[in-house]
Amino acid sequence: MATEVKVPTLGESVTEATVGQWLKKPGEAVKADEPIASLETDKVAIEVPSPVSGVLGELLVKEGDTVNVGAVIATIEDGGAPAAKAASAAPAPAKAEAAPAPAATPAPAAPAPAAAPAAESESASGPITLSPAVRRLVLEHGLDPSRITGTGKDGRLTKDDVLAAIAAGTAVAAAPAGASPAASAAPASGPSREQERVKMTRLRQTVARRLKEAQNNAAILTTFNDVDMTAVIEARAKYKDLFEKKHGIRLGFMGFFVKAACMALKDIPGVNAQIEGDEIVYNNFCDISVAVSAPNGLMVPVIRNAESMSIAEIEKTIADFGKRAKEGSLSMADMAGGTFTISNGGVFGSLLSTPIINPPQSGVLGLHRIEERPVVRNGQIVARPMMYLALSYDHRLIDGREAVTFLVAMKNAIEDPTRLLIDL
């Protein structure tokens, strides 16, 4: 008896998805609720769980196919059915094993050595399932994914794992298929001019479309300021152990910036507003979108009512988003809405950038790396840990004066964190 696997409900107004990856192969045993496939929608990757325990049967769609909600994509056979099917599907090997006994000749033994390497290769590569983003990164750098430790769900390889291995110099180049060690070590005869075409994921297509729409529809302008991080760094160093002991989470920098942004948005409500037709919608709450890294790229989940949260609650929410992003379990509900975005390019080493707003929002704050630079304090040139802040905004709604005032409010709050406690 076969059980159908159907595309689950994908969220409000989402009717179709793309099959990103099959996580199981036909004939493999699966447990109830174990993920067997990954679907990509316009916003997130969603795993399709097996409805029952059994063995994965026929795959009715291929990776890259577009499927609608409710469509049948595979079948799950009960535990006994696949064994019989497997036996009937491969009668030739059974006869080959039986043939040598009466003939008592060594001839049938010849295929065995040839079959062994193939089985070895299949078993070695079988457990490694790569998302499209990871597969593309591995191919671009010619790496052996089996030599990189995965930290994702069920030990899967994430984009961060590959990037970390490349940065640490521990990534091992993959040998060409069928090549001997001597051939692998031989230098290339000349520069390669090979090309590879990889279809854009549905998520990347949506990101590209929305960013282009933002450039076409909004009058985007960016203004900058810098902030002295000395006070925040000292506060973090002084209280990080007590903070972690009490709240069970590390004290980072994002909690300070989210809290400071909420205060600045309260003072400059236009940055927290949006244009709808010929009306301006002012939001009396702060739903802060924060960019987090995921295997399929950057995701932007939303911290709801961040203005009413403590720094500890903000840090816990961001940590939870980061964990779920790596596991691929962020939902579309997590990313819906948002009134203002904070993007931290500093974690990747960015010194300066001009971020693009996320429509229908009207502002995005870009954070950058912290580095010591010479500044003048009390007439003396001293080295201080400085960070550039960049605010990109829709000039149709926000004037330059408001944008600069917003950044100055951010600067004052970060350079004197006491302001965050007394709402000043």
Side-chain angles (χ1 to χ4, degrees):
M1 180 67 179
T3 301
E4 295 179 337
V5 181
K6 297 183 179 181
V7 177
T9 301
L10 302 173
E12 185 179 355
S13 75
V14 180
T15 60
E16 63 179 22
T18 300
V19 180
Q21 181 183 12
W22 284 104
L23 306 178
K24 292 287 185 177
K25 296 180 180 179
E28 285 189 312
V30 295
K31 298 178 181 178
D33 297 326
E34 181 179 9
I36 62 172
S38 174
L39 302 180
E40 295 178 353
T41 69
D42 289 351
K43 294 185 177 180
V44 294
I46 298 175
E47 291 183 338
V48 179
S50 172
V52 295
S53 296
V55 176
L56 182 60
E58 184 181 4
L59 305 183
L60 303 179
V61 293
K62 303 187 296 295
E63 292 183 359
D65 286 355
T66 298
V67 292
N68 295 321
V69 173
V72 179
I73 60 175
T75 58
I76 303 294
E77 308 283 351
D78 60 35
K85 182 180 287 187
S88 63
K95 293 179 181 178
E97 286 182 14
T105 63
E120 268 182 13
S121 174
E122 184 177 347
S123 63
S125 61
I128 302 176
T129 56
L130 306 177
S131 68
V134 173
R135 186 185 302 115
R136 182 164 57 250
L137 195 59
V138 167
L139 290 173
E140 286 176 355
H141 291 82
L143 304 179
D144 182 356
S146 66
R147 304 292 294 274
I148 303 175
T149 303
T151 61
K153 188 176 182 181
D154 298 327
R156 282 184 220 148
L157 208 57
T158 68
K159 185 177 180 180
D160 286 343
D161 296 331
V162 180
L163 292 174
I166 295 172
T170 58
V172 179
S180 65
S184 300
S189 58
S192 172
R193 293 179 57 79
E194 294 181 358
Q195 292 181 326
E196 179 189 4
R197 292 183 181 271
V198 179
K199 186 177 180 181
M200 292 176 68
T201 64
R202 181 180 291 267
L203 175 62
R204 177 51 58 185
Q205 292 178 45
T206 301
V207 169
R209 185 181 69 251
R210 286 176 58 83
L211 292 180
K212 190 57 183 173
E213 287 175 354
Q215 286 186 321
N216 292 340
N217 299 329
I220 301 177
L221 185 65
T222 304
T223 188
F224 304 92
N225 210 324
D226 61 358
V227 58
D228 187 340
M229 296 292 293
T230 301
V232 167
I233 290 175
E234 290 177 350
R236 184 170 177 262
K238 183 176 181 180
Y239 297 112
K240 64 179 181 179
D241 293 336
L242 290 174
F243 186 90
E244 186 171 2
K245 182 177 180 180
K246 179 175 181 178
H247 299 290
I249 190 71
R250 293 181 61 189
L251 177 59
F253 294 122
M254 281 296 290
F256 291 96
F257 278 102
V258 171
K259 199 67 179 174
C262 291
M263 291 178 54
L265 292 172
K266 182 178 178 182
D267 293 339
I268 314 296
V271 183
N272 199 41
Q274 60 198 53
I275 295 176
E276 289 188 5
D278 59 356
E279 296 180 331
I280 299 174
V281 180
Y282 290 95
N283 300 298
N284 296 321
F285 53 88
C286 296
D287 284 355
I288 307 296
S289 303
V290 290
V292 296
S293 181
N296 290 334
L298 288 179
M299 314 297 282
V300 193
V302 180
I303 306 174
R304 314 279 177 191
N305 290 108
E307 78 285 352
S308 63
M309 299 172 68
S310 66
I311 289 180
E313 291 172 328
I314 292 171
E315 291 287 359
K316 287 180 180 179
T317 303
I318 294 174
D320 178 63
F321 284 153
K323 178 176 179 291
R324 290 163 57 198
K326 286 188 176 182
E327 294 174 349
S329 59
L330 282 175
S331 68
M332 283 181 290
D334 293 322
M335 289 175 282
T339 61
F340 183 76
T341 295
I342 298 179
S343 177
N344 186 7
V347 296
F348 303 108
S350 172
L351 175 65
L352 204 58
S353 68
T354 56
I356 300 178
I357 61 176
N358 180 23
Q361 298 176 18
S362 298
V364 53
L365 178 69
L367 308 182
H368 303 91
R369 75 170 184 253
I370 303 170
E371 64 177 9
E372 286 198 341
R373 291 198 294 271
V375 296
V376 178
R377 296 288 185 267
N378 300 320
Q380 301 293 320
I381 298 177
V382 295
R384 290 293 176 90
M386 304 297 292
M387 176 196 287
Y388 286 118
L389 303 181
L391 176 69
S392 290
Y393 56 97
D394 190 345
H395 211 341
R396 297 177 302 166
L397 175 60
I398 304 164
D399 294 329
R401 177 181 62 84
E402 294 174 312
V404 172
T405 303
F406 175 89
L407 281 182
V408 170
M410 289 286 305
K411 177 182 175 72
N412 291 337
I414 295 299
E415 292 187 343
D416 184 7
T418 305
R419 290 171 175 265
L420 299 176
L421 300 178
I422 60 177
D423 193 16
L424 183 60

